[in-house]
Amino acid sequence: MITLTKSDMIVLQTKLNRPNVTKGLVVRPRLLKLLDSGYEGAVTLVVAPAGFGKTTLVSSWLQTAREDDGRPIPSTWLSLDEGDSDSEVFLRYFIAAIRVIFPDACPQTLKLVTARQHPPNHVLVDVLSNEIEQLPSRFIVVFDDLHTPHGTGLFSHLNSWLSHWPRQMHLILLSRFNPPLPLSSLRAKGLLTEIRSRELRFTQEEAMEYYSYILKSPPEKNAVALLQKRMEGWIAGLKMASFSMSADEGTDELTSVLLDSDVFISDYLVDEVIKSQPTNIQQFLLKTSILDQFTPSLAEELINQGNADCDAHQCIDYLEMADLFLISLDKHRGWYRYHDMFRDVLRQRLAAAMGAEVIRELHSRAAEWFAVQNLPDLGIHHALEAGDLSLAVGIMEQSLAEILNHEDRPTLERWLRSIPLAYIDESPMLTLMTAFNHGFRWELAQLDRAVTRAEEISAKREPPDDPEVFRKLTAILKGQAFYHANEFEQAVACTQDATAQLPAEWRYVRGLGAIYTGLSLQASGRPDAAAQYLAGQYEANRDNVDSFTLRLLQAMSINYIQAGNYESAERMARTMLRQARQAGLPVMEGWGNYLLGYIHLEWNNLAEAEQFFKAVISLQYTTQIAVVRSSMMGLGHISMILGRREEAFHFIDQLSELDLLNRGQEQLDTIFSRARLMLLDDDVEAAEKWVYLDSSRFPDKTLAPWMECIPMTMARILIARNKGNDTKTALRILNETGELAERSHTTRALIDVLALRALALLNLGDSAGARDALIRSVELARHGRFIRTYVNMGSKMQKLLTQIAGHPPVTRTVGRILAAFPVTESAFPSPDPSLLPSADPFDESDLGERLTPRELEVLVLMAEPISLKAIAARLHISYATARRYTINVYSKFGVHSRWEAVDSAVRRGLISPL
Amino acid sequence: MDLPIPPSIDDLAAYQITVLGSLSLRWSERLEGMTILTTSLNDGVTLSILSGILTDQAALIGVLNTLYEFHLPLLTVIRLPIAGMK
């Protein structure tokens, strides 16, 4: 029933089984020929109301379908249901269906589907089409019940495929009505074959043949003719009529009904079919009709509500013998479903016969059965049908550990969406689940709020079912928040014991707890304890490489980086990257590449660093968003160092687009990383406008190894500008950051702080102090082979380094760093920009006139860190209009991004610096 | 309606569908190639009138379903006689 593939994809196997063809089948050569010729094209559409034998026809054709050279054509079947309206669910099943033929097909697409971020549709379609194109032979995919999914999710995928169709795949679509696809253009291109009700319905000859198969004595020709005419060849109707005809006197009664044009014939027939069954079968049919699929044991659970005299196996045998619209989905494991049309009628009769209370009870029983079978999605579905939210939530809680272990964000999100918000806000566990979801998306502030809220609810209102587990989960998430708030002792106190005591099945959360314990132990000044803790955990789990053990390696590598021991950090990150690749864990693969890029950039190995960062970008949707963002900044640095100025800013433009997409506004560290590039470009004037930002607004004061550290960039700008109190302000910032670096034992940051401090002291004329600070910095940097930290600080740093080179303990290190400075910086000092003639092609006053007042208004707001949406709202104009104004401004300024426009406007004096 | 033969669900027929709201011509392809005419009434209400020949009622339901997904309220569906047909 459940298949767990290598990539941890949970699918319901019964959706992938081709239904077995029922007995009494009339061979229909004219239709088989249509299907044969349809295979030449891209799509075969079989469309007719329920009961016209669509499934039977296609299923029987597939059994004998052959290529021209006689090889059987591989085919796979996917029965769609309402759940497939969610395009992430649909794509998982679609890949699972393809994997029935080609077991390892479409690995990249699958990673994207289970990704941390929603990848854009066109990316999914491109990757999937490519991967299908590469499969070794042509094959057929059948989508049955294509009319059941609603909304546009699934069809927007199909539509995109149809525009660049993978030739390897022939699609057969079974639907009750036309799907919303560009059928007329497919028809015009000759790619579409249609089999519709007028082709599917039984001719009089076929009806005669059918009855002579299934009835003991063939019926009268006239009766069949009448039936065929009245039913218009509707196969299910003809079949239902056969139940009346096999009964004594049945044919006469049927004939009289058929002649009475006022009777709604299918109603009559279904009633006759049900009425003609023994009572226990009637009960069985009605009660099991709430299920989309069932096994004897599940059916038993429902029918023996009160009386134990009905045997599900016997009932199923009877229905199969009588050919009563029962379809066997999986002979081996005994899964069945009813014919859709028959099931719909049964459900309607059930409502009339037994009432809402009984139906709710049936759904509850089904929900509990599915929960016990570890089929949470189906359990939740029936619990919701029963109107029993607490049962649905209970099933979610029961499966939470597993969903988290698979880091299955889409499923977690889907479950949370199915529960009303007000209910989530009353339940501590559900609120905690939203916290985990924020964690997957690296939304740390929201995560923090959700954890606090979960604790409040638990204390004030309803305690969770398992308070012990709840407390531990909460403690670990709180520890994470404490770590990011630089409260390391408290972080250790939260995470260490909770991680040890949490049951083994919570592998993902224990991994989280272990990293934060390891990181926080180190940051609180216990590096040995940290190393021992992480190594101990790794030893205990090393036989089983998964995200838990890889997270331990990640924490060890980060600890080495923070301690300034880049050699060991590099080795650890390499091991982690290798194992992550082998285990196919993109989140950790991204981290491995990122840490290596970070280290090699410091070592001035620009080509290697660039490769590692680019590898992170290629995992954009599947790895953690934070490492993707920081890698973009890293690539910006490298491009700028290599003199590829435009490319460098282009990376930051991409970053700000990503921000807009994910958060609706540019993040502060994006703004500062742009300023940092301007500084690297010696453009102090451009960078300086950001120093007016109020530093109390920087929420994130962490010294985690990200490319951008906002206070440090602020200090760099102030030191470079060196006007008025600038240097003093910079020293204050450096003192604060240095204090934090010492407190958190972050040698890496301390090295940077001390070097910058040396430049600041130089500004104040304190050469001796500057030299002392720099010697301390270089001494700390000796083992880590730090280079870029110094080279990025430019020619002043270069000069200062030559002054301390004679100091024996650092001579060798200084020599190595000096060797990395570009030759030109000392040989040809850069000219003072203020002495150069203005290269600005625009006359400023002229430009001011050319902007319309509305454009100017938009421009002023663009300088503030608010989203375009917010700008539109403030000016009471639509988003599209605001967007049009910004585009006008860009084109008048000849720039390509918001911040270039602001930059330009500030320089032209159109707006004042922030 | 005066029809020589009672219609069946799988007859080819011409249909005219009226929905409330404006529907762009570019959706015609997704709507079985039906022609789309948008008109504004005196009171400012905009209607879209789709007309065309559909192969059967499964195609008709497909069109109606797509209009439903577009959130366009359905006003009328008329089955029209086709000149020169049975």
Side-chain angles (χ1 to χ4, degrees):
Chain A
M1 181 68 185
I2 273 197
T3 311
L4 264 178
T5 67
K6 257 195 293 184
S7 42
D8 292 344
M9 178 171 56
I10 304 173
V11 298
L12 200 56
Q13 195 64 47
T14 47
K15 284 183 64 164
L16 303 176
N17 288 334
R18 182 169 55 79
N20 288 322
V21 179
T22 47
K23 67 173 180 175
L25 175 72
V26 175
V27 183
R28 317 183 73 189
R30 64 192 168 96
L31 298 181
L32 298 179
K33 217 180 267 170
L34 262 177
L35 285 165
D36 281 335
S37 65
Y39 179 62
E40 311 288 320
V43 180
T44 301
L45 179 64
V46 183
V47 75
F52 270 87
K54 300 183 290 291
T55 303
T56 307
L57 172 71
V58 174
S59 176
S60 66
W61 176 72
L62 285 178
Q63 288 176 349
T64 55
R66 293 279 184 279
E67 294 282 3
D68 291 340
D69 59 10
R71 279 179 302 121
I73 305 170
S75 67
T76 183
W77 192 282
L78 175 55
S79 297
L80 299 170
D81 56 38
E82 238 175 88
D84 295 292
S85 311
D86 183 323
S87 62
E88 278 165 340
V89 174
F90 162 67
L91 282 173
R92 282 187 199 207
Y93 275 103
F94 180 55
I95 295 168
I98 295 179
R99 287 185 170 198
V100 171
I101 312 174
F102 308 108
D104 298 315
C106 307
Q108 296 308 321
T109 317
L110 184 61
K111 278 183 189 166
L112 285 176
V113 172
T114 49
R116 291 279 181 110
Q117 285 90 43
H118 297 279
N121 202 352
H122 70 90
V123 173
L124 270 174
V125 168
D126 284 352
V127 174
L128 182 57
S129 299
N130 255 333
E131 289 193 312
I132 290 177
E133 203 66 67
Q134 283 160 20
L135 293 173
S137 74
R138 207 157 182 246
F139 64 101
I140 296 172
V141 180
V142 181
F143 289 152
D144 197 358
D145 290 333
L146 186 61
H147 55 271
T148 46
H150 50 79
T152 51
L154 184 157
F155 293 104
S156 70
H157 279 293
L158 281 179
N159 265 311
S160 316
W161 289 338
L162 289 169
S163 56
H164 40 118
W165 187 253
R167 277 153 301 166
Q168 290 293 75
M169 179 166 73
H170 179 75
L171 205 51
I172 302 184
L173 307 176
L174 274 55
S175 177
R176 291 193 193 170
F177 48 80
N178 282 12
L181 297 170
L183 298 175
S184 44
S185 78
L186 281 175
R187 244 175 244 137
K189 289 182 200 152
L191 293 173
L192 179 69
T193 299
E194 287 170 276
I195 300 178
R196 313 187 66 92
S197 55
R198 74 172 73 90
E199 281 89 24
L200 282 165
R201 64 184 179 191
F202 272 174
T203 60
Q204 199 172 324
E205 293 72 43
E206 282 170 331
M208 201 62 204
E209 193 185 337
Y210 174 71
Y211 282 128
S212 52
Y213 264 119
I214 58 164
L215 295 180
K216 284 175 209 125
S217 51
E220 279 176 66
K221 227 177 175 169
N222 287 344
V224 173
L226 181 62
L227 258 175
Q228 199 273 339
K229 187 160 169 255
R230 190 71 210 275
M231 302 281 175
E232 295 181 316
W234 181 39
I235 298 171
L238 293 168
K239 185 168 158 184
M240 286 190 288
S242 72
F243 288 91
S244 301
M245 287 152 85
S246 15
D248 298 333
E249 317 266 316
T251 310
D252 295 341
E253 196 190 324
L254 179 66
T255 310
S256 70
V257 170
L258 287 171
L259 288 169
D260 178 357
S261 60
D262 287 341
V263 175
F264 182 40
I265 195 75
S266 68
D267 239 14
Y268 167 80
L269 289 173
V270 173
D271 280 340
E272 285 301 298
V273 170
I274 298 174
K275 256 193 339 215
S276 65
Q277 308 308 323
T279 327
N280 65 334
I281 295 292
Q282 285 187 28
Q283 290 278 314
F284 182 92
L285 286 171
L286 291 179
K287 287 182 174 172
T288 52
S289 71
I290 64 152
L291 302 164
D292 287 330
Q293 65 268 89
F294 58 90
T295 66
S297 112
L298 172 55
E300 193 100 37
E301 196 65 38
L302 298 198
I303 53 176
N304 286 336
Q305 187 185 1
N307 60 331
D309 59 351
C310 183
D311 183 305
H313 284 280
Q314 277 173 16
C315 290
I316 289 171
D317 286 347
Y318 174 91
L319 294 175
E320 277 201 301
M321 287 289 290
D323 195 15
L324 252 173
F325 301 98
L326 188 69
I327 299 165
S328 160
L329 291 171
D330 185 342
K331 270 262 176 319
H332 192 57
R333 294 177 190 81
W335 281 89
Y336 298 90
R337 73 172 175 89
Y338 292 116
H339 189 285
D340 289 349
M341 174 222 53
F342 191 62
R343 186 199 57 209
D344 293 348
V345 177
L346 284 175
R347 280 184 189 174
Q348 188 206 343
R349 300 290 190 275
L350 171 70
M354 301 198 184
E357 201 41 55
V358 177
I359 295 174
R360 262 201 292 279
E361 173 64 22
L362 289 170
H363 279 296
S364 287
R365 282 166 176 257
E368 272 159 19
W369 188 89
F370 281 119
V372 171
Q373 303 297 314
N374 201 15
L375 292 167
D377 270 315
L378 290 172
I380 292 165
H381 166 77
H382 283 288
L384 293 173
E385 287 287 315
D388 190 344
L389 279 176
S390 88
L391 179 57
V393 171
I395 297 170
M396 291 177 191
E397 288 177 11
Q398 190 191 320
S399 308
L400 180 60
E402 199 183 338
I403 294 296
L404 292 177
N405 291 348
H406 291 149
E407 298 181 40
D408 188 348
R409 176 199 55 78
T411 300
L412 188 60
E413 259 181 40
R414 188 156 38 80
W415 287 0
L416 287 168
R417 272 204 307 270
S418 70
I419 304 291
L421 279 177
Y423 195 88
I424 293 178
D425 201 41
E426 301 272 307
S427 152
M429 269 311 264
L430 283 173
T431 305
L432 205 58
M433 280 162 76
T434 62
F436 280 112
N437 194 29
H438 288 305
F440 283 143
R441 304 176 73 96
W442 200 258
E443 293 164 351
L444 298 179
Q446 287 103 310
L447 182 151
D448 202 15
R449 276 201 296 277
V451 175
T452 311
R453 178 77 193 136
E455 280 195 309
E456 274 172 26
I457 306 165
S458 157
K460 271 196 220 143
R461 302 185 194 175
E462 195 189 348
D465 290 343
D466 189 341
E468 276 307 300
V469 165
F470 174 80
R471 249 200 300 283
K472 268 136 214 163
L473 297 176
T474 319
I476 288 170
L477 289 177
K478 272 167 70 183
Q480 181 177 8
F482 276 128
Y483 173 79
H484 288 289
N486 300 319
E487 305 284 353
F488 307 116
E489 293 290 350
Q490 273 164 296
V492 174
C494 279
T495 53
Q496 192 164 18
D497 292 341
T499 305
Q501 290 157 7
L502 198 62
E505 75 207 53
W506 295 88
R507 219 173 149 75
Y508 167 78
V509 188
R510 293 181 69 226
L512 211 61
I515 321 173
Y516 284 104
T517 304
L519 293 176
S520 306
L521 276 173
Q522 157 110 8
S524 59
R526 288 173 277 170
D528 294 340
Q532 210 179 346
Y533 175 82
L534 291 170
Q537 295 277 327
Y538 186 74
E539 279 306 313
N541 290 283
R542 68 181 306 165
D543 295 341
N544 186 3
V545 172
D546 62 5
S547 60
F548 177 72
T549 52
L550 289 174
R551 284 208 164 81
L552 295 168
L553 294 177
Q554 175 200 6
M556 287 191 240
S557 184
I558 292 177
N559 275 350
Y560 281 131
I561 288 182
Q562 300 295 63
N565 184 352
Y566 279 22
E567 303 270 0
S568 303
E570 208 258 3
R571 274 199 303 280
M572 204 55 89
R574 275 197 192 276
T575 309
M576 171 186 162
L577 176 59
R578 197 179 56 242
Q579 294 190 2
R581 278 203 193 121
Q582 279 168 0
L585 293 166
V587 174
M588 303 317 284
E589 198 182 329
W591 265 100
N593 277 307
Y594 171 70
L595 293 176
L596 286 167
Y598 186 87
I599 294 165
H600 281 271
L601 176 54
E602 181 58 45
W603 286 350
N604 207 25
N605 297 335
L606 300 181
E608 282 95 330
E610 187 174 19
Q611 271 185 5
F612 286 124
F613 285 140
K614 285 201 164 151
V616 179
I617 308 299
S618 73
L619 299 165
Q620 179 170 352
Y621 301 108
T622 47
T623 193
Q624 208 157 31
I625 185 83
V627 293
V628 174
R629 297 184 69 249
S630 203
S631 296
M632 285 180 172
M633 297 175 195
L635 287 170
H637 269 238
I638 293 170
S639 301
M640 189 55 90
I641 291 166
L642 295 173
R644 304 189 305 235
R645 196 175 166 280
E646 269 189 34
E647 188 187 275
F649 285 114
H650 183 66
F651 281 118
I652 308 301
D653 289 344
Q654 272 182 288
L655 180 57
S656 80
E657 273 174 36
L658 191 68
D659 286 353
L660 284 172
L661 203 71
N662 286 327
R663 305 276 164 99
Q665 65 177 54
E666 202 171 39
Q667 302 292 289
L668 268 180
D669 58 347
T670 304
I671 296 171
F672 272 86
S673 66
R674 193 184 294 279
R676 179 98 169 85
L677 290 195
M678 290 167 177
L679 275 186
L680 283 175
D681 196 26
D682 277 331
D683 191 351
V684 181
E685 233 185 303
E688 73 176 1
K689 64 175 169 289
W690 309 117
V691 299
Y692 296 96
L693 286 180
D694 172 9
S695 62
S696 67
R697 277 174 46 213
F698 307 152
D700 188 6
K701 297 242 197 292
T702 169
L703 291 180
W706 301 122
M707 284 306 301
E708 183 51 42
C709 176
I710 295 173
M712 291 299 282
T713 300
M714 189 85 135
R716 279 179 231 279
I717 298 171
L718 290 166
I719 291 168
R721 193 174 64 162
N722 192 23
K723 279 190 211 156
N725 276 333
D726 280 354
T727 300
K728 282 190 181 145
T729 313
L731 276 171
R732 193 173 43 76
I733 295 174
L734 289 176
N735 281 343
E736 276 173 25
T737 311
E739 215 173 276
L740 176 59
E742 293 208 34
R743 188 163 68 79
S744 63
H745 304 267
T746 311
T747 309
R748 171 191 61 79
L750 201 55
I751 291 167
D752 201 11
V753 168
L754 285 168
L756 212 49
R757 192 181 155 77
L759 289 185
L761 292 174
L762 208 60
N763 274 355
L764 297 177
D766 180 1
S767 324
R771 278 198 298 274
D772 286 348
L774 189 57
I775 288 171
R776 261 195 78 200
S777 170
V778 175
E779 274 176 340
L780 291 172
R782 199 162 40 184
H783 299 297
R785 290 206 277 137
F786 282 62
I787 294 176
R788 263 332 309 177
T789 293
Y790 302 99
V791 177
N792 286 350
M793 291 181 193
S795 55
K796 278 185 184 164
M797 175 51 67
Q798 188 177 16
K799 214 187 277 169
L800 198 56
L801 279 165
T802 51
Q803 288 173 19
I804 65 160
H807 188 74
V810 295
T811 304
R812 270 183 60 195
T813 315
V814 168
R816 198 189 59 229
I817 298 169
L818 281 172
F821 273 87
V823 188
T824 48
E825 281 194 32
S826 56
F828 309 100
S830 40
D832 184 349
S834 62
L835 299 177
L836 292 173
S838 167
D840 199 335
F842 289 102
D843 180 339
E844 290 164 18
S845 53
D846 176 48
L847 185 73
E849 280 166 18
R850 278 199 277 140
L851 288 184
T852 67
R854 209 49 165 168
E855 284 164 3
L856 197 59
E857 269 182 299
V858 172
L859 181 61
V860 169
L861 289 176
M862 277 162 70
E864 295 184 21
I866 58 173
S867 70
L868 193 54
K869 242 192 204 153
I871 293 177
R874 269 208 226 168
L875 296 176
H876 305 289
I877 55 180
S878 75
Y879 176 83
T881 311
R883 172 117 194 102
R884 206 175 56 241
Y885 284 129
T886 63
I887 291 167
N888 289 351
V889 172
Y890 292 2
S891 77
K892 287 182 180 176
F893 279 25
V895 297
H896 302 289
S897 75
R898 178 168 171 180
W899 297 107
E900 275 176 336
V902 171
D903 180 23
S904 210
V906 170
R907 272 201 265 176
R908 289 162 219 278
L910 287 172
I911 55 176
S912 51
L914 287 177
Chain B
M1 204 177 299
D2 189 20
L3 289 166
I5 298 172
S8 112
I9 56 158
D10 49 24
D11 279 348
L12 183 96
Y15 291 92
Q16 189 189 67
I17 303 169
T18 312
V19 291
L20 193 63
S22 171
L23 183 62
S24 158
L25 279 179
R26 69 196 169 89
W27 291 110
S28 167
E29 190 183 69
R30 284 271 292 278
L31 296 162
E32 301 293 321
M34 292 185 94
T35 58
I36 300 171
L37 184 76
T38 304
T39 69
S40 286
L41 303 183
N42 291 338
D43 52 2
V45 174
T46 306
L47 301 178
S48 296
I49 300 166
L50 294 82
S51 14
I53 295 176
L54 298 177
T55 181
D56 57 18
Q57 296 198 350
L60 173 67
I61 299 301
V63 169
L64 296 179
N65 187 53
T66 305
L67 293 171
Y68 173 74
E69 296 289 0
F70 287 166
H71 301 267
L72 294 171
L74 180 66
L75 297 178
T76 59
V77 179
I78 303 171
R79 185 178 157 122
L80 304 168
I82 301 177
M85 297 244 332
K86 60 168 182 175

